[in-house]
Amino acid sequence: MLITFPSSWPDTTVAALAMTTLALLDLGGAYAAKEAVLRRSLPFAAAGVVLFILLFWVYASSLRYAELASVTLGWVVLLQVGVVLLDRLHYGTPVSRGQWAAVVVVLAAQAYLVMAPSAAGSPDAPAHDGRPPAPAPAVPAVPAARVAPGRIAPGPVVPGQFAPVKATSVKATPVKAAPSKAAPSKAAPAKAARSKGAVRV
């Protein structure tokens, strides 16, 4: 889906080509928007929409090979120079010498930004072919120690592994003893019989 550049091209060449293409597409879209407003032309408006869609496609493709800051700043600087030239040559807008001097200084600063060496040794820097850096090799797992049956294997204690147990108060519920019914004594009938016999005599 995205544009793929040859791997033999240096990074500065890819970045410069991306900046120039982005500036041309953006300048073309600006010109189409200006003409669509002045002429009230629908074809110019449609052409501007197509140019800005292509602009996004080229911009996303260039970020696979160059840094975001350098590509964006270079694109904006070249666009500003192109807009100044477009206003001067096509629409007749006067440009002073101070403005031309500022354009030259900005172009020199942009050339330094592109040609200066960047932090290529950074681990997060993208590869030249646009692919992300290779992942770090996996650390081999350490075999677990053998533990005799009935014993707990020692291990590192991870902070937060064991949650603290909150102490809760337990209320004792009194148990009511059921009323016991006393068994009738066997000696009571015998005493009653003796007392009856004594009365008869």
Side-chain angles (χ1 to χ4, degrees):
M1 181 179 179
L2 298 178
I3 302 174
T4 303
F5 295 95
S7 58
S8 59
W9 290 12
D11 295 340
T12 55
T13 303
V14 175
L17 181 60
M19 294 173 194
T20 306
T21 306
L22 290 171
L24 291 176
L25 290 174
D26 204 349
L27 183 62
Y31 173 74
K34 181 71 174 179
E35 292 297 323
V37 172
L38 292 178
R39 303 182 183 184
R40 298 186 180 276
S41 174
L42 184 59
F44 273 101
V49 172
V50 173
L51 287 174
F52 282 119
I53 292 176
L54 292 176
L55 172 70
F56 180 81
W57 180 46
V58 175
Y59 186 43
S61 301
S62 64
L63 294 180
R64 299 174 59 191
Y65 302 91
E67 296 179 358
L68 176 64
S70 60
V71 171
T72 306
L73 291 178
W75 161 28
V76 171
V77 168
L78 294 178
L79 173 64
Q80 291 176 347
V81 174
V83 168
V84 171
L85 293 176
L86 182 63
D87 274 344
R88 177 68 181 86
L89 300 177
H90 187 73
Y91 296 104
T93 304
V95 180
S96 63
R97 294 182 179 180
Q99 291 177 339
W100 285 117
V103 168
V104 173
V105 172
V106 168
L107 287 176
Q110 179 59 34
Y112 172 77
L113 179 64
V114 175
M115 301 301 295
S118 59
S122 175
D124 297 334
H128 179 70
D129 55 355
R131 293 176 297 179
V139 180
V142 180
R146 296 182 178 178
V147 183
R151 296 185 180 182
I152 301 176
V157 179
V158 181
Q161 182 179 6
F162 301 99
V165 180
K166 296 182 179 180
T168 56
S169 58
V170 180
K171 296 182 179 181
T173 304
V175 179
K176 296 181 180 181
S180 59
K181 297 181 180 181
S185 177
K186 296 181 179 180
K191 291 182 179 181
R194 292 177 183 177
S195 59
K196 290 181 179 181
V199 172
R200 288 178 183 179
V201 173

